Amino acid sequence: MKYIEEYRDADLTKKLLKDLDNIITKNWTLMEVCGGQTHSIIKSGLDQLLPKKINLVHGPGCPVCVTPLELIDKAIALASRSDIIFTSFGDMIRVPGSKTDLFAVKAAGGDVRIIYSPLDALKIAKENPDKTIVFFGIGFETTAPPNAMLVHQAKLQNVNNFCMLVSHVTVPAAIKALMDSPDIEVDGFLAAGHVCTVMGYWEYEPLALKYKIPIVVTGFEPVDIMHGIIKSVSQLENGIHIVENAYARSVVRGGNKPAQAIINQVFEICDRSWRGIGVIPQSGYRLRGEYADFDAERRFPEIQGIETKESEICISGLVLQGRKKPNECPAFGKECTPQNPLGATMVSTEGACAAYFQFGRLGIRSDHGR
Amino acid sequence: MQHIFNSEGWELEVIMEDNKSQLNLAGWSCPIPLINYPTIVLGHGSGGKMMADLIQHLFAPVFNSQLLNQLNDSTVLDLKEILNSYPSKRLAFTTDSFVINPIFFPGGNIGDLSIYGTVNDLAMSGAKPLFLSAGFILEEGLPMNSLGIIVSSMASACKTANVCIAAGDTKVVNKGHGDGIYINTTGIGIIPEGINISISNAAPGDVILINGSVGDHGMAIMSVRSGLEFETTIQSDTAPLNGLVDELIDATHEIHCMRDATRGGLAAVLNEMAVSSNVGVEFIETAVPIKPEVNAACEMLGLDPFYIANEGKMVVVVPENQADKVLMAMRKHSLGKDAAEIGRVVENHRGLVTAHTRIGGNRIVDLPAGELLPRIC
């Protein structure tokens, strides 16, 4: 596959590993922000090949993991109604709410449909005029443009039997919150390449400056990730802290302007709750006033009262902030497994706990360098 | 395989890919009373005249099986006759239900799939498949035309796989209580003397082989599944493996395990073997054949091709000293042209499957937790 195979090249990866070995003199902790990067690191086995001086910690960039339990319970409440067709991206379906998940709702007769393109929700709405179609609008800046376009098109085409349950979050606010927390031990960030494809990287420049920390825009294949790590380590070894772009084949500084325009037209910045972390100010999107009719929480005000409580033993919040390793959780591998997850980080293949669970069983290095 | 039918959908001709075996069903077209019902109605399962018509004008002529023509409550099989042809003391017996959606997909349909699926399950224990039963659960409203195509492809699949439908049943359920058509097939085969193939026979040092590219069937289905449609040339690999198995058994009687990599894909078979045989399994990612278009579709959907279903692929485990011989035999057969050695059975990490990754790392390849879900990003 052109433009993917090249970035999985074994010889090139080995050369980059050697290059990294040549420049690294101290121990450095880097956070890969995006769950897609975590997934790729584990899937390729890159974590076992890195020098021991590199400690990779997983960041909060797994959309499935950070969507608050409360929102999942609201989704479940909506999906259970006979007058609603509930549509969602695939991997949200398996995430457990307080009592059940969307798979179980489907089994109990709820009309839950996995869609791949958000605009499919509009098609379903037109085909089912006597039902309300709810789309679970989650994710980072990556899924925000197509989700915004969905709402925009619904308004434009007067598809009024459609609404969206919104739980959109943004990366820079999360990085800021992490850096402001007192016991964070991260020396540099591998920023999420897909998010930066949409948003560009100019908004990370003040963060790099303020917190004196390298932020390197990084892609998702082994060669991309090595490229990001080398740039970060090179900065750290030389006492530099700037934003660099190690994913230039996809990202430009200003990002994708039309995509940003549709986000800004449909969404506005708001405070958002992150699962396991809590409310981060100015860290998400909600629908603007002119699109408020398409807000599922407004359309179905009865779900606004749903309140939930996380498992008392689950430490996924600390894991998502890179403050605890998954295997430091008392429930890890015991009460909590991928088949019976207590927190979302054990559900998604991008979740740090699920990844650790796999590797711990083999007894190979699961601590990413520590 | 190509189907030809007239504007009413009644004259069927099935042209096999090799153009050798043609099944001309022109003779069975019957305008009355089936034509009055372009779709299946409850009456077709009622046990009355409509059901008799369905059997007489559709199932019987298409399957053209003398055993079916006994028309008894149960078909009587002559054991002596069987044993004369295949001296043996052991039978293989299996059942499988087919609920695939959509029922027509690139490279096949639920009909040929239901024959090959059961034939392959029999073949995996080294058995020669002989007799199949076919149970149909039809949903009211299924186009008669679709049923005609499905049944005729079952007939041609039987011919290709050299098996015979010996018993059958049809039920009709109310609209909304089925997915058009479900088919159950049960099969009986006979196991030649000296063959002992089991998923629990893998031993450290054994070599793991596969007869071709993985993921074709699952991705062909996903490409036409409602809500996920994407343009591709991927075809299902649905095929009967018994012919290939015959060749392998001719090459050696020392095959330890064989399993077709259906639901759960290659990863599920290797995991089942690791647990059942209490061994470790290691495979090399780059050694597993994957078609570029399957790989691309998996990348797009965020799926791992090792977990995707196949319907014409099997994992074969043999002692090291038999591996070359078996691999050669595989590659000589049309269903094993792309056969490859993909890994080894090992002493350590018993019960676990690991993959040696392209860049030189290792990872665990676990059983999938449940249904495969496209990832968000």
Side-chain angles (χ1 to χ4, degrees):
Chain A
M1 229 174 317
K2 196 87 181 125
Y3 306 122
I4 290 192
E5 301 289 320
E6 297 91 329
Y7 296 92
R8 292 177 183 170
D9 186 85
D11 292 340
L12 186 52
T13 308
K14 278 175 197 143
K15 182 193 168 292
L16 292 171
L17 282 162
K18 212 170 158 197
D19 290 351
L20 177 61
D21 236 356
N22 288 337
I23 60 164
I24 195 163
T25 63
K26 298 186 192 123
N27 290 333
W28 301 112
T29 296
L30 301 178
M31 174 178 278
E32 86 270 5
V33 167
C34 176
Q37 291 164 334
T38 306
H39 182 82
S40 172
I41 289 165
I42 300 292
K43 193 174 169 189
S44 65
L46 186 64
D47 54 321
Q48 303 147 44
L49 304 172
L50 285 169
K52 288 197 172 6
K53 289 191 171 76
I54 286 287
N55 177 31
L56 284 183
V57 292
H58 312 299
C62 162
V64 172
C65 303
V66 300
T67 299
L69 188 58
E70 187 186 294
L71 251 297
I72 295 163
D73 282 349
K74 286 177 180 173
I76 287 166
L78 291 174
S80 306
R81 292 172 57 132
S82 58
D83 56 345
I84 284 178
I85 298 173
F86 194 86
T87 55
S88 170
F89 292 128
D91 46 2
M92 276 313 286
I93 305 283
R94 201 160 44 209
V95 181
S98 303
K99 295 194 185 80
T100 182
D101 64 22
L102 287 166
F103 264 132
V105 170
K106 185 169 184 284
D111 195 343
V112 178
R113 301 187 192 180
I114 294 171
I115 57 174
Y116 194 68
S117 162
L119 286 173
D120 287 344
L122 214 56
K123 200 172 136 213
I124 296 171
K126 288 178 192 165
E127 288 164 0
N128 297 275
D130 52 337
K131 297 267 177 115
T132 300
I133 282 63
V134 180
F135 177 67
F136 205 170
I138 73 147
F140 285 86
E141 294 95 323
T142 339
T143 50
N147 292 356
M149 182 55 84
L150 167 62
V151 176
H152 176 64
Q153 287 295 330
K155 188 175 163 76
L156 208 65
Q157 299 175 36
N158 283 319
V159 184
N160 294 319
N161 63 326
F162 161 81
C163 59
M164 187 155 92
L165 184 61
V166 188
S167 180
H168 264 290
V169 284
T170 57
V171 170
I175 290 187
K176 187 172 177 306
L178 285 175
M179 291 312 295
D180 284 338
S181 69
D183 48 357
I184 187 82
E185 290 174 16
V186 174
D187 301 311
F189 287 98
L190 305 179
H194 290 168
V195 167
C196 295
T197 303
V198 175
M199 302 305 287
Y201 54 83
W202 58 271
E203 53 184 345
Y204 297 89
E205 287 164 355
L207 297 174
L209 199 65
K210 180 178 176 193
Y211 297 106
K212 298 191 175 14
I213 193 160
I215 301 178
V216 177
V217 179
T218 303
F220 298 84
E221 301 303 331
V223 167
D224 290 318
I225 292 165
M226 282 310 302
H227 196 186
I229 292 174
I230 287 173
K231 276 188 180 296
S232 304
V233 169
S234 165
Q235 284 194 41
L236 289 165
E237 293 282 345
N238 292 296
I240 302 169
H241 42 81
I242 55 172
V243 176
E244 277 188 282
N245 184 5
Y247 197 37
R249 73 179 186 282
S250 179
V251 176
V252 292
R253 182 174 179 275
N256 179 337
K257 298 289 182 191
Q260 291 166 25
I262 190 74
I263 294 176
N264 292 331
Q265 184 178 331
V266 175
F267 292 125
E268 61 191 6
I269 301 282
C270 68
D271 297 351
R272 275 275 171 212
S273 173
W274 294 53
R275 186 166 191 180
I277 299 176
V279 175
I280 302 179
Q282 305 286 292
S283 69
Y285 296 131
R286 68 174 169 224
L287 291 171
R288 284 186 184 277
E290 53 267 46
Y291 293 95
D293 286 348
F294 294 95
D295 185 343
E297 295 196 65
R298 226 175 113 125
R299 188 86 60 98
F300 300 96
E302 57 275 27
I303 62 169
Q304 286 177 12
I306 292 177
E307 279 182 23
T308 47
K309 208 170 157 220
E310 289 279 0
S311 155
E312 278 175 13
I313 42 176
C314 175
I315 61 159
S316 64
L318 297 173
V319 172
L320 284 168
Q321 298 170 66
R323 289 157 71 176
K324 286 266 188 193
K325 294 282 181 180
N327 50 3
E328 290 166 22
C329 173
F332 178 79
K334 294 174 193 131
E335 294 95 327
C336 185
T337 62
Q339 278 75 43
N340 185 25
L342 293 182
T345 45
M346 192 55 109
V347 177
S348 169
T349 52
E350 294 166 31
C353 295
Y356 267 61
F357 181 76
Q358 300 287 29
F359 282 80
R361 287 161 63 209
L362 193 57
I364 57 183
R365 207 173 86 193
S366 61
D367 56 359
H368 291 217
R370 252 184 200 173
Chain B
M1 195 187 300
Q2 196 187 348
H3 300 274
I4 297 171
F5 40 96
N6 70 8
S7 54
E8 286 99 34
W10 286 103
E11 277 195 11
L12 283 190
E13 188 173 9
V14 179
I15 300 173
M16 302 302 291
E17 260 165 17
D18 58 8
N19 263 333
K20 282 180 199 151
S21 47
Q22 290 199 356
L23 181 73
N24 191 336
L25 303 170
W28 65 269
S29 95
C30 171
I32 295 172
L34 294 181
I35 201 91
N36 292 335
Y37 290 99
T39 61
I40 287 291
V41 296
L42 280 177
H44 287 121
S46 65
K49 188 157 182 346
M50 286 179 72
M51 191 167 136
D53 278 340
L54 195 64
I55 292 170
Q56 195 182 340
H57 295 287
L58 179 57
F59 292 117
V62 176
F63 287 137
N64 190 23
S65 154
Q66 286 191 350
L67 293 168
L68 270 183
N69 290 342
Q70 288 180 11
L71 296 175
N72 289 319
D73 276 1
S74 56
T75 300
V76 178
L77 304 172
D78 188 334
L79 204 54
K80 204 170 161 193
E81 204 175 284
I82 298 166
L83 290 175
N84 277 343
S85 314
Y86 306 103
S88 170
K89 293 193 181 74
R90 290 175 305 155
L91 292 173
F93 181 47
T94 187
T95 188
D96 206 344
S97 298
F98 298 83
V99 296
I100 193 162
N101 179 2
I103 55 180
F104 296 99
F105 48 83
N109 64 53
I110 191 170
D112 41 33
L113 190 69
S114 72
I115 301 299
Y116 295 150
T118 291
V119 162
N120 291 349
D121 284 349
L122 290 172
M124 291 308 111
S125 53
K128 287 187 182 300
L130 298 175
F131 307 109
L132 261 51
S133 73
F136 294 86
I137 295 177
L138 308 176
E139 185 192 11
E140 207 182 1
L142 174 73
M144 200 61 85
N145 192 346
S146 301
L147 182 62
I149 294 172
I150 288 165
V151 171
S152 63
S153 40
M154 288 174 81
S156 51
C158 285
K159 205 169 162 190
T160 309
N162 198 20
V163 290
C164 163
I165 301 262
D169 178 54
T170 307
K171 296 283 189 300
V172 179
V173 295
N174 285 310
K175 181 90 184 160
H177 287 237
D179 223 349
I181 176 169
Y182 300 142
I183 303 175
N184 170 275
T185 53
T186 294
I188 297 177
I190 196 146
I191 303 174
E193 291 297 305
I195 300 297
N196 179 24
I197 299 170
S198 162
I199 194 73
S200 48
N201 282 354
D206 283 357
V207 171
I208 304 167
L209 309 169
I210 191 155
N211 67 317
S213 63
V214 299
D216 300 8
H217 175 74
M219 294 320 288
I221 299 297
M222 281 200 202
S223 74
V224 290
R225 189 163 278 174
S226 171
L228 262 188
E229 299 102 327
F230 52 90
E231 277 182 37
T232 176
T233 52
I234 304 169
Q235 300 260 317
S236 167
D237 58 350
T238 177
L241 293 169
N242 52 330
L244 174 57
V245 168
D246 284 347
E247 299 290 328
L248 303 189
I249 287 176
D250 281 350
T252 179
H253 275 203
E254 288 186 59
I255 294 170
H256 284 172
C257 315
M258 280 197 290
R259 182 156 282 195
D260 54 342
T262 55
R263 279 171 302 171
L266 174 64
V269 172
L270 297 180
N271 272 282
E272 286 154 11
M273 184 168 79
V275 171
S276 298
S277 299
N278 190 29
V279 291
V281 171
E282 289 179 5
F283 74 96
I284 297 163
E285 281 186 351
T286 49
V288 181
I290 306 172
K291 291 191 173 126
E293 55 270 38
V294 170
N295 223 349
C298 284
E299 284 294 335
M300 189 174 79
L301 295 173
L303 299 173
D304 188 334
F306 302 134
Y307 290 99
I308 308 290
N310 310 279
E311 287 293 342
K313 295 294 150 30
M314 61 175 179
V315 172
V316 180
V317 178
V318 292
E320 191 178 4
N321 61 10
Q322 301 294 309
D324 287 345
K325 200 160 48 170
V326 175
L327 193 58
M328 291 242 292
M330 267 187 173
R331 286 180 176 160
K332 272 190 207 152
H333 194 277
S334 62
L335 294 175
K337 285 198 300 280
D338 300 323
E341 177 182 333
I342 59 167
R344 293 277 171 149
V345 178
V346 295
E347 287 270 7
N348 39 11
H349 59 78
R350 285 173 187 265
L352 283 181
V353 178
T354 62
H356 189 66
T357 68
R358 175 186 288 251
I359 63 161
N362 287 294
R363 63 165 171 142
I364 289 192
V365 180
D366 207 353
L367 277 175
E371 195 171 345
L372 298 178
L373 302 170
R375 281 167 46 217
I376 290 173
C377 70

